[in-house]
Amino acid sequence: MKRVVVPLHRAAHGRTGDKGNRSNISVIAWDPRLWDVLVEQVTEAAVARQFAHRHPSRVQRFLLPQLQAINFVLDDVLDGGVNDALNLDSHGKALAFLLLDLDVVVPEGLCVHLRGSDAD
C-alpha cells in the first residue's frame, strides 16, 4: 500500500498548557480513523527528537483512546517557566505548533481523512 508523508497538523490538532518549567501538549486526531497512525508514530522518542533543541529532561506520553488524543508532558522546556523565562512565549503556547510540524506517514487510503493541504 502506498504511503504519504504529511505534517502532523494534517492528521491532528493540538493544545498546549504549562505549569512551571513543564509543558503539556495534547495532540487530537482530526478523525478517529487516524488514531492508529498517531499512536504508532507520535511517540515519546519522536517528540524528544522534535524538541531536542529545547533539551527536555523527560518526555512522557499518555494515551487517551476514547478521545483519540495523546497528551505529552515535557519537563524543562520553558526556559525556567513563566517567571524566569526571557523568551517571548514563556507559557510555551507555540510549542503545539512545533509538534504539529512533525512528519507522519499516512496510508494512502486514509488521506481522505486529513485536513488542509500540503501548502498549509
Side-chain angles (χ1 to χ4, degrees):
M1 175 182 289
K2 186 176 176 188
R3 296 178 173 269
V4 179
V5 177
V6 298
L8 179 58
H9 69 82
R10 301 267 328 268
H13 57 101
R15 299 281 298 171
T16 308
D18 69 283
K19 191 67 166 177
N21 199 21
R22 176 178 285 163
S23 182
N24 179 6
I25 305 172
S26 295
V27 175
I28 307 104
W30 285 119
D31 188 284
R33 290 164 281 213
L34 297 167
W35 170 244
D36 289 337
V37 171
L38 300 182
V39 171
E40 177 184 308
Q41 297 178 48
V42 188
T43 63
E44 290 173 345
V47 172
R49 282 191 302 274
Q50 190 75 354
F51 285 89
H53 69 286
R54 302 294 300 236
H55 308 289
S57 62
R58 180 170 66 163
V59 175
Q60 298 176 81
R61 179 174 92 151
F62 301 93
L63 300 178
L64 304 163
Q66 291 180 320
L67 300 173
Q68 293 86 46
I70 304 172
N71 189 53
F72 289 95
V73 178
L74 291 78
D75 290 336
D76 303 315
V77 294
L78 295 177
D79 297 333
V82 174
N83 295 328
D84 294 331
L86 297 176
N87 65 47
L88 294 176
D89 185 21
S90 60
H91 289 278
K93 296 298 182 184
L95 296 182
F97 293 102
L98 177 60
L99 182 52
L100 292 173
D101 200 38
L102 178 76
D103 283 338
V104 293
V105 181
V106 178
E108 190 174 48
L110 292 177
C111 287
V112 297
H113 306 295
L114 297 173
R115 300 284 174 96
S117 68
D118 289 334
D120 292 342

